[in-house]
Amino acid sequence: DIQMTQSPSTLSASVGDRVTITCRASQSISSWLAWYQQKPGKAPKLLIYKASSLESGVPSRFSGSGSGTEFTLTISSLQPDDFATYYCQQYNSYSSFTFGPGTKVDIK
Amino acid sequence: EVQLVESGGVVVQPGGSLRLSCAASGFTFDDYTMHWVRQAPGKGLEWVSLISWDGGSTYYADSVKGRFTISRDNSKNSLYLQMNSLRTEDTALYYCAKAAAGISYMDVWGKGTTVTVSS
């Protein structure tokens, strides 16, 4: 099975900061990667699919990049609404749509 | 408006069984693959299972294989998860999610239903 890791596990940042989260796959997943945002008590929300495609309605300050085994999610200027936990997920393998362990972005 | 509403979550004893349901509306249900994803208290997301648009293909996480069965009734716009031989580690919030085109990532999520396995 494909394993996913994320770093850092927690990130403290201020409003206006540029934030980057890294996601790594244990084997190549081409560009079959999605990013989700989850706030406490809420369902996850899709941000990015196919590594770099922005979901409709998601602010353009969110961007994704990467292919193969290494991917990044970047928030260009952190806003108060962005404090949340972020998960990457691979969908290269139908047998296991593995999520990363998550990165919590909190207020510095 | 696309909507997914889960139900059926309760407190059940270890070894027990339970069936979760997910009612879909606002989209052509039988065009899409559907997923179940769970989240244990204070933990991350864990993909559980998926079923193709016609029910012809199903996949399971190793942690539930042989114990859980995913199914759908396209005439009722409904998705199900039959959960047998439940363990304490199955305690979680269970989300129903719609896949984007084909067998792929989740673009719409329900609010979840809570399953607690405890004696």
Side-chain angles (χ1 to χ4, degrees):
Chain A
D1 283 0
I2 299 173
Q3 308 301 317
M4 307 299 291
T5 59
Q6 287 182 235
S7 59
S9 55
T10 304
L11 187 160
S12 296
S14 301
V15 172
D17 284 352
R18 181 180 181 88
V19 166
T20 299
I21 298 168
T22 299
C23 174
R24 291 185 175 88
S26 60
Q27 64 189 72
S28 178
I29 57 170
S30 184
S31 295
W32 305 120
L33 186 98
W35 289 96
Y36 301 87
Q37 176 193 65
Q38 187 180 35
K39 297 179 181 179
K42 301 293 187 182
K45 173 188 173 183
L46 175 67
L47 299 176
I48 301 282
Y49 61 94
K50 208 173 179 185
S52 60
S53 296
L54 192 67
E55 174 69 353
S56 176
V58 174
S60 59
R61 63 181 180 272
F62 291 92
S63 64
S65 65
S67 66
T69 61
E70 188 155 334
F71 303 86
T72 58
L73 173 70
T74 299
I75 309 172
S76 60
S77 178
L78 197 67
Q79 298 302 300
D81 191 47
D82 302 338
F83 292 97
T85 300
Y86 294 85
Y87 295 92
C88 62
Q89 182 207 28
Q90 68 85 14
Y91 53 102
N92 178 73
S93 167
Y94 292 172
S95 62
S96 181
F97 279 56
T98 327
F99 288 92
T103 295
K104 183 178 180 181
V105 177
D106 63 19
I107 301 172
K108 191 172 187 179
Chain B
E1 179 193 5
V2 176
Q3 195 169 13
L4 298 170
V5 179
E6 302 92 337
S7 61
V10 292
V11 178
V12 61
Q13 291 190 335
S17 297
L18 194 57
R19 189 175 88 151
L20 305 183
S21 300
C22 172
S25 60
F27 64 102
T28 306
F29 181 70
D30 56 11
D31 277 352
Y32 293 95
T33 291
M34 297 294 294
H35 296 269
W36 286 101
V37 176
R38 68 184 181 183
Q39 188 167 33
K43 302 297 184 182
L45 301 170
E46 180 187 14
W47 173 78
V48 172
S49 183
L50 74 83
I51 186 167
S52 60
W53 65 275
D54 62 350
S57 296
T58 57
Y59 297 90
Y60 299 91
D62 287 344
S63 58
V64 307
K65 203 172 292 183
R67 300 188 298 123
F68 290 10
T69 302
I70 191 171
S71 63
R72 64 191 297 160
D73 185 338
N74 287 343
S75 69
K76 296 182 178 179
N77 288 351
S78 293
L79 175 72
Y80 306 102
L81 186 68
Q82 178 67 42
M83 308 165 68
N84 297 332
S85 302
L86 283 161
R87 305 167 180 168
T88 55
E89 56 264 36
D90 296 318
T91 294
L93 180 63
Y94 284 74
Y95 293 104
C96 160
K98 168 186 166 292
I103 296 181
S104 67
Y105 58 92
M106 302 87 175
D107 63 352
V108 179
W109 297 65
K111 294 183 178 181
T113 187
T114 300
V115 173
T116 303
V117 184
S118 173
S119 54

